[in-house]
Amino acid sequence: MKKRVESVLDSLAKCGGCIRRSNNDVTLPTSQLPLDTNNPNQGSYGDPHALRNHNMSHQPVRLHIQDRYVVMDNGIVQVTLSNPAGIVTGIRYGGIDNLLEILNRETNRGYWDLHWHPPGGKGIFDVISGTQFSVVVQTEEQIEISFIRMWDPSLEGKAIPLIIDKRFILLRGSSGFYTYAIYEHMAEWPPFEIGETRMTFKLRKDKFQYMAMADNRRRIMPFPEDRMAGKCQTLAFPEAVLLLNPKDPNLKGEVDDKYQYSCDNKDNRVHGWISFNPAVGFWKITPSDEFRTGGPFKQNLTSHVGPTTLAMFHSTHYAGKFQLLTVAAGEHWKKVFGPVFIYFNSAPNGSDPQLLWEDAKTQMMNEVQSWPYSFPASVDFQKPHERGSVAGRLLVLDRYMSNDYMLARGAYVGLALPGEAGSWQSECKDYQFWTTTDHNGYFVIRNVRTGNYNLYATVPGFIGDYRCDAAITITSGCNIEMGDLVYEPPRDGPTLWEIGIPDRSCAEFYVPDPDPQYVNRLFIGHPDRFRQYGLWNRYAEMYPDSDLVYDVDCCDYRKDWRQADGSHTGTTWQIKFKLDRVDRNGTYKLRIALASATLAELQVPGGRMVEGENTLFLKQPRNNSPFIGFLYDYIRLEVPPPDVGASSSSQ
């Protein structure tokens, strides 16, 4: 083990910086560090009255090291971390001595964590504390520091068998810092499973009350005390509460639930908090999805009451055991999570604090355009020149819709580990790279790490998943041209009728109004109104004596098809349709695409088609929880093709 530690430290030295185990430069914790009043470029932590001052001259970055703390300082922001644990204990910016919650223990302010378990064992929550501190890069332009936690067999069952190297970077003139981590499992170490890993920031509740994650999802939030006993009513699950006596009386009677602020990976670029006095913003920016698991449609948490901001790298939320990151005995595994950018901005007194949100979006675009970064020192983070690209055009061929090839407009095209079509949805150990096609179906996937991949796609308006049969190997500097790729979606015959739009969502279906006693006012009339609490209870109110009946001849799925089928008693939905004639020599095929399913079972009793009225039954028999059920995406009944061979009866 000693040799392994020395090897890791030697590799850090080769990354471009010196290694320090001690230093006589003594510094105080962030909240006590004196301002440099003689420095004209003091920056925003001394003068919060400049929204964007990136073009001015800035002082060199400085590093202060003492026994218990390490401080990175560029005159704009000052970041204090515990030594050698690598916990962010303080952030000084914008006239606020510490943006993090000073009432919390230092270990509960800014930290990397994970939730893991040995196979078959109990879950363990682990705040990742380093045991080895070193300086990787120290110049006037950049500081990069490392906090490593090693593993050896004496820790089996107590700590996850990983080497975890947490990195923090501060650049000259930057109004924020970067963080990333390298996880590595040696082949001779025991197996494990990870349910979640992330970075968490707990901000000052006396400063940050306004949260923003999208133009139409931002609001004043409750205080953490508002969720305590006597101040609220806990609802069907602990995360959801009804605010009874909040500090802000305008929030009385609202529901607070952190899951209401979840977001698809593809839309989860920037979120955070605003302090109104002084006007300061705290933002988490994720410039790339390559290190996040589950693909572009995987939902993850963002920010929520605390005030808390999360950088989610991997989680089983909304996926369950299918998203467990499993590393086996005998398997060597390594992955880089991040970097993400923790960005701060400020505005002059009297200006509109909402400008901070607009500025954060602009900064997010700058970070996205700068990806992949060239400055991280780890050789495990591949730089732009080490990566490759893939380009092509995606077409769709469905003879029952058109005799010509159709352009796959707005399709999601991605590279992920080799597997079956759609396997990217549960893949969570490696990297994924996604883009969307243009109006003519063309795509370019840039900045792909070297390795072996399959190319996958999902096309709005068509069911199923596409996978290119040809394996793709990315090498440094390669530009692979795939040409025209053709997706033939599942189809056996012409459409008799269809319900919904195949787009991996249920957004087009009817969403009832929430119970007026359990409302989050943000989502009234909102496109995401499905996030309102308690909608599962509305089903029994709408259908007290029987289940949903949908007649394809007279019903409109936007008004008559429920988005969800949750019920305490199980459900049997009916779809009624007419057949003028029955093809007794062919097979009728029912295709069902699900947007989501939670511990549910779908039964479709078989039967023969008849001339005149027909009824299909969609039965979900499980009834031990209202949270069991389906979210349908699309349903289609196909009639036999004209040239079908003879058979004994219609099916």
Side-chain angles (χ1 to χ4, degrees), residues 63 65 220 232 266 270 282 290 424 453 483 487 538 590:
L63 182 64
I65 304 172
I220 294 287
C232 69
K266 63 183 174 61
V270 56
F282 184 108
E290 70 177 50
W424 53 269
Y453 300 92
Y487 174 45
R538 301 306 311 278
L590 179 69

Side-chain angles (χ1 to χ4, degrees), residues 110-367:
Y111 52 88
W112 284 77
D113 68 46
L114 51 79
H115 190 274
W116 73 284
H117 58 85
K122 294 183 178 180
I124 301 170
F125 177 73
D126 182 4
V127 173
I128 303 167
S129 295
T131 56
Q132 303 272 345
F133 163 68
S134 63
V135 179
V136 182
V137 176
Q138 185 175 12
T139 69
E140 291 188 349
E141 302 300 320
Q142 174 179 344
I143 289 171
E144 179 167 344
I145 53 180
S146 166
F147 301 87
I148 293 179
R149 187 176 76 181
M150 302 298 293
W151 191 88
D152 64 60
S154 68
L155 298 172
E156 186 167 356
K158 302 174 184 177
I160 188 168
L162 284 173
I163 298 173
I164 299 179
D165 183 358
K166 301 184 297 179
R167 301 288 185 95
F168 297 86
I169 301 172
L170 184 65
L171 303 179
R172 185 171 185 165
S174 177
S175 187
F177 67 92
Y178 299 84
T179 183
Y180 66 107
I182 305 132
Y183 292 14
E184 183 173 14
H185 176 264
M186 300 300 177
E188 65 269 23
W189 290 352
F192 64 87
E193 294 178 329
I194 296 179
E196 178 179 274
T197 190
R198 63 188 185 177
M199 188 167 192
T200 302
F201 290 96
K202 307 287 185 68
L203 310 186
R204 286 180 61 162
K205 62 185 178 184
D206 63 330
K207 298 293 184 183
F208 295 95
Q209 282 104 48
Y210 189 89
M211 188 183 81
M213 55 169 296
D215 286 338
N216 61 357
R217 294 176 75 183
R218 45 185 175 151
R219 60 165 300 165
I220 294 287
M221 295 292 286
F223 286 86
E225 292 84 357
D226 296 335
R227 294 179 53 90
M228 298 178 66
K231 291 279 190 177
C232 69
Q233 173 190 342
T234 302
L235 300 177
F237 44 92
E239 293 84 357
V241 301
L242 180 65
L243 303 174
L244 302 177
N245 187 24
K247 288 187 175 182
D248 183 347
N250 294 318
L251 302 180
K252 184 176 181 179
E254 286 203 59
V255 169
D256 177 67
D257 173 9
K258 69 179 182 180
Y259 295 110
Q260 292 180 327
Y261 303 103
S262 296
C263 183
D264 287 357
N265 281 341
K266 63 183 174 61
D267 303 317
N268 188 353
R269 284 280 181 260
V270 56
H271 59 86
W273 295 82
I274 291 174
S275 163
F276 291 133
N277 185 23
V280 167
F282 184 108
W283 310 100
K284 188 280 303 180
I285 294 176
T286 304
S288 171
D289 289 330
E290 70 177 50
F291 44 80
R292 292 201 285 208
T293 58
F297 307 104
K298 170 71 170 66
Q299 286 200 83
N300 268 313
L301 298 175
T302 57
S303 292
H304 57 79
V305 168
T308 299
T309 286
L310 302 173
M312 300 295 300
F313 301 106
H314 166 75
S315 82
T316 56
H317 290 123
Y318 306 100
K321 64 181 181 180
F322 300 103
Q323 271 285 311
L324 274 175
L325 195 165
T326 302
V327 176
E331 178 181 2
H332 177 261
W333 175 74
K334 181 188 283 190
K335 185 170 182 178
V336 179
F337 292 103
V340 296
F341 185 42
I342 310 305
Y343 176 61
F344 317 109
N345 55 7
S346 58
N349 289 337
S351 62
D352 183 0
Q354 301 289 350
L355 295 174
L356 298 174
W357 167 242
E358 298 300 321
D359 175 70
K361 291 189 296 179
T362 299
Q363 185 65 36
M364 177 269 292
M365 292 303 300
N366 292 338
E367 300 298 325

